[in-house]
Each structure stands twice: as C-alpha cells, then as structure tokens.
C-alpha cells in the first residue's frame, strides 16, 4: 500500500538532547513537508522540500533541521535550540509544490521530560 | 495577511441531526481549498479539494461547497463515526512557494 510512514509514534526527549523524527513515503511524490500541531492551533509549517537535496524554511523553522538525501525520506531533527518542542509532529507529501493536495502520516508525539 | 478561520470551535450533534461547519478565508488569489478529517492522535485524512466559487463535492454524508470568501462542510444525517476534528486549509503563495494555511479546526461530536 502506498503511504507515508512516520516513526516513532511516541518520543520522549530530555532537555538538551537532539532527537530525529523519521518520515518515509512510497507515493513517488516530489514535495515533502513537516508541520507542527499544538492544541487549539492550526498546523504550522516547519520545513518543506520540493525535490531531493533541496529544502526551505517554513514559518517556524528555528530550532529544527532537515535533510532530503533521498526522494522517499525527509527526516526532521529537533535540536536543543527548540525551546518548546513538546507537540504533535506531522509529515506530509504532495505530487509537487504546485499542487499542495497533501497526504499526511500518522504523526509523532514528542514530549520533553 | 493570508488567514483561515473555522467556526464553530466545537459542535455537538445528535445522530441524524444535520448541520454545517464554516471555513472563512482571506488569501491573495485562491489556488485551492482543502478539507481534512483528523481523528484523535492520528494524522489528517484528505477529504476534498475545491478550486473555484460555486464548486461542490460530495462523499457519503459530507458535502463541501465554496464561495469567494468561505467554504461550508455540510454533514447530512451524521452518525457517531463522523465524530472527529475537521480541518480546512487554503493554498497560498509565500516567498515564491506554495504552502497550506490551516484553520484551527472544528471538533465534531455526534451522539447516539
């Protein structure tokens, strides 16, 4: 089945640690996105990538980093510089950036302990 | 500023009681409006894309409509399994790329 797989489903981070969230898609989509979801707020764009080896900052990129070495994979690293990382993180993909009809993974809930 | 506002924040319906959810938007040149359904702890599930005023799309008990300033998601004779958060998003251009701007969602609870 085609889709987007995020792992892990739950992640706990100690203060000062970097953690990496995985996102893999087998939809052959060029564009991939990372969003953050907080209670009572709309999804906010962290980073996006239109093509392999290319990515741009979204609206709330500070404290996050990404890579896009393969078309299928777009991992997100939450660094210690992110002051409030506890949130629900969603990865999405679309055919390309001109068509943002996006399909989402099941999310990773990150909690700082 | 591009913006999406959804109302109400929460809606409680009895099974079979039809209603509508609202999504109002301000965007420079609408390129697409999207509806998603999100269950607790899950990723959003794509429902509909609307591109131009007057367009309508249906799926089972859901019907989405679009005007120049807002979209409605009509739910006809809802069932408890329709309980979820419904998200609206518009496609906007920012810094030379297309992005989705999301509303905060409407939490729908349908009781038997």
């Amino acid at each position: 089945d085609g889709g987007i797989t995020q792992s892990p489903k739950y992640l706990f981070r100690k203060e000062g640690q970097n953690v990496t969230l995985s996102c893999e898609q087998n939809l052959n989509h060029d564009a991939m996105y990372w969003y953050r979801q907080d209670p009572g707020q709309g999804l906010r764009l962290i980073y996006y990538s239109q093509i392999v080896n290319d990515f741009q900052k979204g609206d709330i990129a500070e404290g996050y980093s990404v890579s896009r070495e393969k078309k299928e994979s777009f991992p997100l690293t939450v660094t210690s510089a992110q002051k409030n990382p506890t949130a629900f993180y969603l990865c999405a993909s679309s055919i390309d950036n001109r068509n943002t009809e996006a399909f989402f993974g099941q999310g990773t809930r990150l909690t700082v302990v | 500023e591009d913006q999406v506002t959804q109302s109400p924040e929460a809606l409680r319906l009895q099974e079979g009681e039809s209603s509508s959810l609202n999504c109002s938007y301000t965007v420079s040149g609408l390129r697409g409006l999207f509806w998603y359904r999100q269950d607790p702890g899950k990723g959003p599930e794509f429902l509909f894309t609307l591109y131009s005023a007057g367009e309508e799309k249906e799926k089972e008990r859901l019907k989405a409509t679009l005007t120049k300033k807002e979209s409605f998601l009509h739910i006809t004779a809802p069932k408890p399994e329709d309980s979820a958060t419904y998200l609206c998003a518009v496609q906007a251009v920012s810094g030379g790329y297309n992005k989705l701007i999301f509303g905060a969602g409407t939490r729908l609870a349908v009781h038997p």
Side-chain angles (χ1 to χ4, degrees), chain A:
Chain A
D1 287 338
I4 301 174
T5 302
Q6 290 187 240
S7 62
K9 187 174 175 64
Y10 300 97
L11 187 57
F12 297 90
R13 191 195 94 169
K14 293 182 179 179
E15 300 236 8
Q17 278 186 339
N18 293 353
V19 291
T20 297
L21 284 59
S22 171
C23 178
E24 304 278 332
Q25 56 99 356
N26 59 4
L27 299 167
N28 200 33
H29 285 174
D30 283 326
M32 297 187 73
Y33 312 84
W34 274 105
Y35 289 89
R36 170 180 171 139
Q37 187 174 34
D38 295 283
Q41 297 190 40
L43 277 67
R44 293 181 291 167
L45 182 65
I46 304 172
Y47 267 97
Y48 78 102
S49 169
Q50 297 190 69
I51 200 167
V52 175
N53 293 322
D54 178 72
F55 50 83
Q56 281 80 39
K57 294 180 179 180
D59 299 319
I60 55 165
E62 185 174 352
Y64 301 98
S65 66
V66 294
S67 63
R68 185 86 186 274
E69 297 176 0
K70 297 187 299 182
K71 186 175 185 176
E72 301 81 16
S73 179
F74 191 40
L76 173 74
T77 297
V78 184
T79 75
S80 57
Q82 170 50 236
K83 298 306 178 187
N84 185 23
T86 294
F88 191 48
Y89 290 88
L90 289 160
C91 179
S93 71
S94 64
I95 292 174
D96 55 45
N97 187 245
R98 290 169 297 174
N99 176 358
T100 55
E101 187 173 292
F103 297 88
F104 285 83
Q106 291 302 294
T108 293
R109 184 164 299 282
L110 173 64
T111 304
V112 174
V113 297

Side-chain angles (χ1 to χ4, degrees), chain A residues 37 48 59 97 100-102, chain B residues 36 38 49 91 97-99:
Chain A
Q37 187 174 34
Y48 78 102
D59 299 319
N97 187 245
T100 55
E101 187 173 292
Chain B
Y36 289 86
Q38 186 175 25
T49 306
Q91 181 172 333
Y97 71 92
N98 291 298
K99 69 174 186 180

Side-chain angles (χ1 to χ4, degrees), chain B residues 53-80:
Chain B
E55 189 175 358
E56 299 182 351
K57 288 194 176 172
E58 288 188 67
K59 179 180 179 180
E60 296 180 355
R61 295 177 293 281
L62 300 177
K63 178 180 178 180
T65 62
L66 181 65
T67 72
K68 289 185 178 180
K69 293 185 178 181
E70 57 192 349
S71 176
F72 293 94
L73 185 65
H74 307 278
I75 303 177
T76 302
K79 299 182 178 181

